[in-house]
Amino acid sequence: MKITIVANGPILIDTEAEWTWEGEGEPIRKKDRVALCRCGASAIKPFCDGAHRKIGFQAPGGTVELTPR
Ligand code: FES
């Protein structure tokens, strides 16, 4: 699994696992890459919908690599 904090954008989680998001409404299932909003402007939270570009969100990026023990 790899977590990428995109400069001025979302948190990308790359994994081969299948995700199930259980919030309000129907569960959402995702595979492979998930983009999570960190700007607060997405209409589909917790996922990114690209709204960070419209609002001019600015924050530094980085990468976290996770390896199994
Ligand atoms: S980070 Fe993309 S919409 Fe918030």
Side-chain angles (χ1 to χ4, degrees):
M1 179 191 300
K2 180 178 169 187
I3 299 172
T4 304
I5 314 300
V6 178
N8 309 323
I11 298 168
L12 300 179
I13 300 175
D14 289 293
T15 177
E16 295 186 9
E18 185 174 299
W19 285 62
T20 301
W21 166 255
E22 295 186 17
E24 295 177 12
E26 292 292 312
I28 296 172
R29 288 182 175 71
K30 298 232 174 208
K31 281 196 248 179
D32 304 324
R33 173 173 277 184
V34 177
L36 300 175
C37 176
R38 69 177 175 132
C39 75
S42 174
I44 57 168
K45 293 181 197 85
F47 304 105
C48 170
D49 68 356
H52 57 272
R53 291 186 203 97
K54 289 184 198 160
I55 66 166
F57 177 68
Q58 294 190 330
T63 302
V64 177
E65 295 244 9
L66 304 174
T67 52
R69 289 187 200 188

